[in-house]
Amino acid sequence: MAGAAPGSVRDGHHPAVATRQIIAALVSAGRVRRAWLRIAGMQVPLPPKLQGRIGSKTGLQVAGVSPGSPAAEAGLRRGDIMVELDGKPIVTTTAVQRLMVEDPIDRQIEITVWRNGALVDVFARPRELAA
């Protein structure tokens, strides 16, 4: 996974899988439901020690968390670096957006973050983004 381009097969987010999810949602419900966490973030390099441990050179640093949001309720904090969401590596905001289609709505998901020199798991329940 190290060095994988966002959206590539190697980053765990194959474009064909996302396309199939969207088509299935359109066929079954006539629309695509999106989940939200309400965070702002930016891609940052991970410490070398962590890069080798998780197999990625970058993560998504949380720059802001909206009060009352699923992210706030889960305990995400400004400065946390997200490295995994629902078992999938997170290296960009696009990776998070790809995972926030249909399936995670109202379902508990695990988010692994690098916080104060340690990997920490928090659990969020994304809500549906209002149309």
Side-chain angles (χ1 to χ4, degrees), residues 6-78:
S8 71
V9 174
R10 291 179 52 213
D11 85 346
H13 306 286
H14 193 287
V17 173
T19 302
R20 282 194 295 270
Q21 285 178 318
I22 291 169
I23 290 170
L26 288 171
V27 169
S28 68
R31 67 186 181 100
V32 177
R33 296 170 59 218
R34 302 212 45 103
W36 60 273
L37 290 169
R38 282 288 195 236
I39 59 167
M42 61 191 157
Q43 186 175 5
V44 296
L46 296 174
K49 172 180 138 184
L50 183 59
Q51 289 178 17
R53 190 167 167 191
I54 66 167
S56 178
K57 293 184 179 186
T58 62
L60 183 71
Q61 185 170 41
V62 176
V65 178
S66 296
S69 68
E73 291 167 0
L76 279 173
R77 304 176 190 164
R78 184 172 187 215

